Amino acid sequence: MTMSLPQPVFDANASGGSGLGRLPEWDLRDLYAAEDAPEVTRDLDWLDVACAEFAADYEGKLAGLDAAAMLACVTRYEQIDVIAGRLMSFAGLRYYQNTMDSGRAKFMADVQDRITNATTPLVFFSLEFNRLDETHLAGLLAADAGLARYKPVFDRMRAMRPHQLSDELERFLHDESVVGASAWNKLFDETMAGLTFTVAGEDEDLNLESTLNLLTDTDRAKREAAARALAAVFDKNIKLFARVHNTLAKEKEIHDRWRKMPSPQHGRHLSNHVEPEVVEALRNAVVAAYPKLSHRYYRLKAKWMGLDTLQVWDRNAPLPTEAPRSVGWDEARETVMQAYAGFDPRMAEIAQPFFDKGWIDAGVKPGKAPGAFAHPTVTTVHPYVMLNYLGKPRDVMTLAHELGHGVHQVLAAGQGELLSSTPLTLAETASVFGEMLTFRKLLDAAKTPAERKTLLAGKVEDMINTVVRQIAFYDFECKLHAARAEGELTPDDINALWMSVQAQSLGDAFDFMDGYETFWAYIPHFVHSPFYVYAYAFGDGLVNALYAAYASGLEGFEDKYFDMLKAGGSKHHKELLAPFGLDLSDPAFWDKGLEMIAGFIDELEAMEG
């Protein structure tokens, strides 16, 4: 069990500009009124006392507790988790609103230090709990239904038993964490947020988000200028990014070696509560499908664009037939809410407060973290969604995606702090399903073949980005960590690993410009959450199978779906998916999801005829 920390699993009214309307901004007062609010001091002080008292009451005594006393112990631990999570959520969300504000950065660092120091006495808990005899624990769970509720949490904790270090070493690692990975994460975030890009033809220097956004511009010259500006700045900073990756991969290798992890990926699989062979089956199915998915689609796209080969700046280009349009905030909101309500009115009801109560921060602002995320904060408050909304049609899908996370987090909150968190493999289910509902609504409303083609092509590109691109990212990480185990990697070494997976996954339709080899540098997941990326492909494949069950009229689908989201992390994926007749351990399962993408490409090819 660990304290909650906000992570972009990279997530006054701001004006959107360009006719987007007034974009919502976070109201963080549901967490704390301000950084100097007396409640912040009160909760930090409470945490110091509560953690010390918890250790005094329970350290060295867990084996002697009866079921009722063990339940009281777990409940006290959960309350500490809520307060620590609330503090870190407030500090983290304020920081992500403006990572260039040194006051916000200091406040987050100070809160993190206080929490790390306060919670150090708790390190004994999971270590001592994992030493409990299996038969004894089974007896406790049998004796108290309230305690038995937490069995999934205990199972996840005890999965770490073979990899546990001595109590003293675990305490050391806990204390040292603030100058380890989290410090390198902060350096990466602050460096990225501070980068500016001089793009030919633009009046002023742009930040990362705005420069990446130009890669979807209708003007090919603008796209090329953006790609070259990205390459120039990444190259200038490549030594720093290589240092970040070298250090984090080495730190992970040291920790994994001491913990006797069989592979760099194993810790992620354990925390996801998913079997390595299930992930391997997903990875192999996607790689085998590259030729019929990405390779085939990009050849089709080159033909539409009148090009012999595509350049990297054409990968996310709009189609020549696509009329450029900007989607205002009100239209985006209406589109997503109607799609949600069309599936089940309950879903729209849960989503409504995000728009009305300051739970979304949508505008692009200087210093704001790039990307988008939904952060659950703690189960006693509510989630917050971060977007960088620029009015692109894809931004509507991002809203549908993050709002799906938000709905999932609201529903799962009923499980309480320790059971609400969904393993990453299922954490993308509601978000991708929300996107699919929105896409199907738009597709059904298409008035012309050209409009249908644009929508289908956009969805195929999103699915390729979610499935093919993320599995290529996963392969890149696997290669990076394996190579780092053999020694220090130069920037050229890392560049070569990146290009090997890019060429394999994108196919022969692409010619890769000089400089593209450094584009690994800006992907935050490699830094924040090693091996997280397969969760996106996992979520897409799973949702394609779920949507097929929904479309085929599976009886009671909506209720089953809500029950699955409400379960949070309280059930294993086998149990969660059984009501839908789905089994992830079946190797053929992933092929079904990939067939849906191939089917869309079939339809696009048929339109050519």
Side-chain angles (χ1 to χ4, degrees):
M1 300 184 192
T2 53
M3 297 297 111
S4 308
L5 295 178
Q7 282 285 354
V9 251
F10 8 61
D11 64 27
N13 282 323
S15 168
S18 308
L20 298 181
R22 295 179 75 73
L23 298 177
E25 203 166 55
W26 279 335
D27 179 354
L28 297 177
R29 287 176 298 178
D30 288 346
L31 291 164
Y32 294 98
E35 69 172 80
D36 57 358
E39 291 81 5
V40 172
T41 307
R42 177 201 70 195
D43 284 355
L44 284 166
D45 291 344
W46 178 89
L47 211 53
D48 289 336
V49 174
C51 293
E53 288 180 347
F54 183 90
D57 290 348
Y58 294 115
E59 189 162 11
K61 301 168 190 169
L62 291 188
L65 300 181
D66 63 17
M70 184 63 82
L71 177 58
C73 169
V74 172
T75 306
R76 277 174 67 179
Y77 187 98
E78 189 162 38
Q79 184 54 26
I80 290 169
D81 204 21
V82 168
I83 300 301
R86 186 178 195 130
L87 286 161
M88 257 334 290
S89 295
F90 178 67
L93 292 173
R94 283 184 79 255
Y95 171 71
Y96 288 125
Q97 276 185 304
N98 188 355
T99 60
M100 302 309 290
D101 182 329
S102 55
R104 291 180 187 225
K106 174 179 163 48
F107 178 70
M108 185 170 86
D110 288 347
V111 169
Q112 195 163 22
D113 280 350
R114 277 287 300 274
I115 290 173
T116 301
N117 292 337
T119 55
T120 296
L122 303 183
V123 172
F124 83 89
F125 179 72
S126 58
L127 305 174
E128 199 173 310
F129 192 94
N130 280 355
R131 287 197 290 267
L132 292 177
D133 176 73
E134 203 67 59
T135 310
H136 172 65
L137 179 58
L140 292 180
L141 297 179
D144 192 309
L147 185 64
R149 257 194 83 237
Y150 291 94
K151 186 176 183 298
V153 182
F154 302 152
D155 287 346
R156 282 198 277 278
M157 259 168 60
R158 287 168 80 83
M160 282 298 290
R161 282 172 86 188
H163 311 293
Q164 204 164 282
L165 303 175
S166 69
D167 292 15
E168 191 177 30
L169 263 178
E170 292 287 0
R171 274 203 186 86
F172 168 74
L173 287 177
H174 179 86
D175 274 355
E176 185 252 3
S177 63
V178 291
V179 291
S182 72
W184 289 95
N185 284 344
K186 215 175 291 176
L187 174 65
F188 173 83
D189 288 342
E190 288 169 4
T191 303
M192 273 298 160
L195 293 181
T196 55
F197 301 83
T198 305
V199 181
E202 294 298 308
D203 296 336
E204 56 186 14
D205 284 357
L206 303 177
N207 66 8
L208 176 64
E209 196 72 26
S210 301
T211 311
L212 289 170
N213 184 55
L214 285 176
L215 296 177
T216 61
D217 200 275
T218 49
D219 183 341
R220 192 167 192 239
K222 270 192 184 179
R223 297 198 303 272
E224 178 177 355
R228 297 204 182 280
L230 289 166
V233 174
F234 294 159
D235 184 60
K236 205 163 70 176
N237 293 274
I238 203 67
K239 285 184 177 173
L240 188 147
F241 294 126
R243 171 61 45 229
V244 170
H245 281 70
N246 266 296
T247 305
L248 287 171
K250 184 61 181 175
E251 184 193 54
K252 187 172 189 330
E253 186 273 323
I254 293 166
H255 288 191
D256 286 350
R257 178 160 31 91
W258 277 77
R259 293 190 182 283
K260 297 183 170 54
M261 291 282 184
S263 72
Q265 304 83 359
H266 196 74
R268 175 64 64 199
H269 301 335
L270 282 177
S271 68
N272 284 346
H273 214 44
V274 67
E275 301 72 21
E277 54 272 20
V278 171
V279 179
E280 191 65 11
L282 162 66
R283 182 260 168 206
N284 292 342
V286 173
V287 172
Y290 285 169
K292 69 175 181 183
L293 300 181
S294 45
H295 298 187
R296 187 162 64 118
Y297 174 75
Y298 289 127
R299 281 195 292 269
L300 202 52
K301 183 165 188 174
K303 188 174 158 190
W304 292 335
M305 296 182 76
L307 299 168
D308 292 331
T309 53
L310 296 174
Q311 259 297 348
V312 292
W313 55 80
D314 299 316
R315 189 172 60 80
N316 287 323
L319 301 185
T321 54
E322 199 174 327
R325 81 184 198 94
S326 186
V327 183
W329 178 251
D330 289 345
E331 185 188 342
R333 167 185 173 155
E334 196 62 28
T335 301
V336 175
M337 287 295 278
Q338 282 181 6
Y340 276 26
F343 170 70
D344 192 303
R346 289 173 291 178
M347 192 183 264
E349 281 166 28
I350 296 164
Q352 191 68 45
F354 283 85
F355 296 98
D356 299 343
K357 295 189 174 179
W359 299 4
I360 299 177
D361 197 303
V364 177
K365 289 165 276 193
K368 183 175 173 181
F373 62 80
H375 179 52
T377 74
V378 286
T379 52
T380 52
V381 187
H382 56 75
Y384 283 93
V385 163
M386 192 191 88
L387 307 169
N388 277 278
Y389 190 83
L390 291 157
K392 299 270 183 185
R394 272 196 174 94
D395 291 344
V396 181
M397 288 301 176
T398 303
L399 171 61
H401 181 101
E402 299 305 339
L403 206 55
H405 277 308
V407 167
H408 193 173
Q409 290 159 357
V410 168
L411 285 166
Q415 294 290 344
E417 200 64 23
L418 296 180
L419 282 161
S420 63
S421 180
T422 311
L424 288 182
T425 42
L426 292 174
E428 295 298 328
T429 306
S431 51
V432 181
F433 196 81
E435 274 190 83
M436 183 63 87
L437 291 172
T438 306
F439 164 69
R440 292 286 183 175
K441 177 174 173 48
L442 292 170
L443 194 65
D444 290 344
K447 295 180 180 69
T448 64
E451 200 178 330
R452 185 175 177 87
K453 176 179 172 179
T454 299
L455 283 166
L456 275 172
K459 184 62 179 170
V460 167
E461 292 199 10
D462 286 345
M463 289 170 126
I464 287 173
N465 284 337
T466 304
V467 178
V468 170
R469 188 164 164 78
Q470 302 302 329
I471 289 300
F473 282 178
Y474 177 67
D475 275 358
F476 168 71
E477 286 190 277
C478 292
K479 288 184 173 191
L480 177 81
H481 285 262
R484 181 64 183 93
E486 301 299 316
E488 175 89 5
L489 300 174
T490 66
D492 285 346
D493 293 335
I494 304 176
N495 292 348
L497 296 176
W498 172 256
M499 290 311 295
S500 71
V501 299
Q502 292 300 301
Q504 182 194 17
S505 63
L506 294 176
D508 56 9
F510 277 90
D511 184 26
F512 296 102
M513 73 166 193
D514 287 344
Y516 182 63
E517 65 274 6
T518 61
F519 276 45
W520 53 269
Y522 78 91
I523 312 293
H525 296 94
F526 301 156
V527 174
H528 286 292
S529 316
F531 305 107
Y532 178 105
V533 288
Y534 73 73
Y536 291 113
F538 203 106
D540 199 273
L542 175 51
V543 164
N544 290 345
L546 268 177
Y547 194 88
Y550 168 57
S552 68
L554 179 68
E555 195 176 338
F557 182 92
E558 291 83 353
D559 287 339
K560 289 179 170 128
Y561 181 75
F562 278 99
D563 286 344
M564 178 177 69
L565 300 190
K566 283 177 188 167
S570 68
K571 293 178 179 176
H572 188 266
H573 62 74
K574 274 190 184 303
E575 200 182 342
L576 283 174
L577 295 172
F580 304 96
L582 302 174
D583 180 5
L584 302 185
S585 58
D586 176 1
F589 171 85
W590 300 109
D591 292 327
K592 290 178 198 161
L594 298 171
E595 281 306 319
M596 180 183 282
I597 311 175
F600 289 156
I601 301 173
D602 289 344
E603 187 175 341
L604 287 167
E605 281 185 338
M607 286 179 175
E608 294 302 291

